Amino acid sequence: MINLLFAGNCKVFDGILSCAISIFKRTSTKEPFNFYILTMDVHHIREDYTPITNEQIEFLEKVAKTYNPENKVKKIDVTDLYDKEFANSPNEQCYCSPYTLLRLFADLIPEIPEKILYLDADLLFARDITLLYSIDISDYEYAAAPDHYGKIILFWQKKFINAGVILFNIAKCKKTGLFSKSRGLIKTRKLTFADESAIIRSTTMQKKISQRFNDQKFLYKGTVIRHFSKRLFYTPYPHTENIKQWNYAKMLAKFKYTCFEDIITEFIYYRESLARGKNPF
């Protein structure tokens, strides 16, 4: 069983769906997948901060079962946990969204298994997921790759990683208190990168893995995951752009990636079917 963890509101569903399709299409394993999707309702913070819907979850599970009938998708609403732990915290209005904080509840949710791969929604797999999932982390809290920009700007911070792809050893995290320490920081201190900073500062045993498991800038021959996070461009003048894989026309125009065409074609088919209320199964 391969266990995957996502978190977000209803608007990141396109990212989760396209990422899931990339996993199915680039992975040859016969093992079933368990998707755990954390969500919550905090529309009082922002109007579109509403949960992923049951309809979206059911649709994603139907897509998953076309690849393997044993694949499962489970929605976990953590609104009550969030209200108890993080409501009105110094990081509630962080640089990203409060949904990035939800992974810090992993030790409090009984359904979460001992080994699980956390993934941001804005990424695509270029190669087999087992290359990452099979990494031995029995002696570590987690495995993660360096942050592309952080390793340059914050080179002296040896623990600095990009938190968009983390292979967690939940049992070890519970033993060391990684998540509880992280939550304590979120509740009491304003952090530059919110949950990412909290995880790094609370880390006791970390396994650094190759950048190819979380490439945030380029797509190489050996890239396993291409992460479409905000990126710095130098031409025609220095600026940042946040180009996501579900905006395929823009992604193709900017990066000229054709290797994901089969993934995006299927994603668009399913997205339009859902939008029009048609049954594609």
Side-chain angles (χ1 to χ4, degrees), residues 38-39 47 72 87 92 111 138 144 192 202 216 258 267 269:
L38 307 183
T39 192
E47 188 176 322
K72 296 179 181 178
E92 190 165 51
E111 298 97 320
S138 54
T192 304
S202 303
Q216 299 142 50
T258 58
F267 159 68
Y269 168 71

Side-chain angles (χ1 to χ4, degrees), residues 218-234:
F218 299 113
L219 181 68
Y220 298 101
K221 185 177 180 180
T223 295
V224 177
I225 298 174
R226 175 64 169 93
H227 189 171
F228 294 91
S229 52
K230 185 181 289 187
R231 183 184 149 180
L232 175 65
F233 293 90
Y234 293 98

